[in-house]
Amino acid sequence: MSDFLENLAEKIILESGNDFSNMVVVLPNKRAGLFLKNELAKKIGKPFFPPSIYSTEDFVQFVTGLKIQSSTFLIFDLFAIHKDIEKENSRSFSEFAHFGDILLSDFNDVDLHLADAENIFTFLNDEKELSLWNPDGTERTDFQENYLHFYRSLIEYYSRINAQLKAKNIAYKGMAYKYLSENLDLTKEKLSGKKILIAGFNALTQSEKALFNYLEENFETQI
């Protein structure tokens, strides 16, 4: 990585001199940004104002204004929704925590890849319904009914956690990425007159592809 960032620093200096006031650099993570600043400092050799350097996550927060929170923080919001949905059948927090963490991880993956949540959760519900169908007409057990109830409620959990977090101006990562992919014009206000350099990425999620394609089409952008 150090060789790559050293070459990247040389490229930035060659193209911009020491004036980085209108340059925005997007990198995969914060660590890469720190190393890039160090490489620029070594090559310039005197005090300077660096370009605006963002990890993808920080860039999404900068453009959308949403504060990305970890599942550790958001589990309490999801637990409140769980209690409201399940009422007297709700679990204790200690019982719910692991299940809620998995649920938030699944919601995150759905949104990062811009999948249609309603279609996915409807399909899962239908698939589970079929798996428990009894051709002889035997009624399902209480356990089976509770199992199906969980899958029927997934879209409600998803919809309600998204609405609740948006009202607080916070989000899980995938939610923020999806929100930006659906509101890409937000970048025009934040990045007017800027040159954008996107570097160091390998495999991209669908939300990252949508963002980078939009930046390339609407700004002076190098990838």
Side-chain angles (χ1 to χ4, degrees), residues 9-212:
E10 290 176 356
K11 176 180 177 62
I12 290 172
I13 294 170
L14 181 64
E15 296 189 2
S16 302
N18 293 345
D19 180 11
F20 309 121
S21 57
N22 68 337
M23 176 171 283
V24 172
V25 181
V26 183
L27 299 170
N29 53 61
K30 293 181 180 180
R31 182 168 176 266
L34 178 62
F35 277 91
L36 177 60
K37 287 180 181 178
N38 289 339
E39 290 293 341
L40 288 169
K42 284 193 294 186
K43 293 183 181 303
I44 293 173
K46 60 182 179 180
F48 72 105
F49 290 103
S52 298
I53 301 176
Y54 297 96
S55 67
T56 325
E57 188 170 310
D58 286 341
F59 182 78
V60 171
Q61 292 182 101
F62 164 67
V63 174
T64 63
L66 293 172
K67 177 67 175 175
I68 295 175
Q69 301 284 1
S70 70
S71 60
T72 304
F73 183 89
L74 300 179
I75 196 70
F76 297 99
D77 290 272
L78 192 62
F79 181 59
I81 292 170
H82 167 70
K83 289 197 297 182
D84 191 52
I85 291 175
E86 300 299 337
K87 302 292 190 295
E88 67 276 4
N89 295 321
S90 62
R91 307 181 188 186
S92 67
F93 180 78
S94 59
E95 292 174 321
F96 175 80
H98 178 66
F99 155 75
D101 191 58
I102 294 172
L103 206 53
L104 285 169
S105 177
D106 289 343
F107 292 167
N108 187 65
D109 288 341
V110 166
D111 285 351
L112 279 175
H113 293 282
L114 304 183
D116 187 314
E118 185 168 1
N119 282 347
I120 285 177
F121 298 135
T122 298
F123 173 82
L124 281 173
N125 177 55
D126 291 346
E127 191 271 335
K128 299 304 176 184
E129 289 267 12
L130 284 172
S131 72
L132 296 178
W133 176 56
N134 297 317
D136 61 2
T138 305
E139 291 188 3
R140 289 191 287 255
T141 65
D142 289 343
F143 176 81
Q144 290 174 323
E145 286 294 344
N146 290 333
Y147 180 73
L148 290 175
H149 169 73
F150 162 70
Y151 281 97
R152 293 189 196 107
S153 63
L154 283 176
I155 189 60
E156 185 174 4
Y157 277 99
Y158 174 84
S159 300
R160 289 179 63 171
I161 191 65
N162 272 263
Q164 189 165 305
L165 297 184
K166 185 63 171 61
K168 295 181 178 182
N169 216 39
I170 59 178
Y172 53 86
K173 180 178 175 179
M175 174 185 163
Y177 280 48
K178 184 176 182 180
Y179 178 77
L180 179 54
S181 72
E182 294 172 345
N183 298 274
L184 289 167
D185 282 350
L186 289 172
T187 57
K188 292 182 177 178
E189 178 183 347
K190 297 287 188 177
L191 301 173
S192 178
K194 299 293 187 180
K195 294 181 180 179
I196 302 169
L197 181 61
I198 300 167
F201 290 85
N202 183 10
L204 298 175
T205 64
Q206 292 302 314
S207 53
E208 288 171 332
K209 288 179 183 178
L211 172 60
F212 294 165

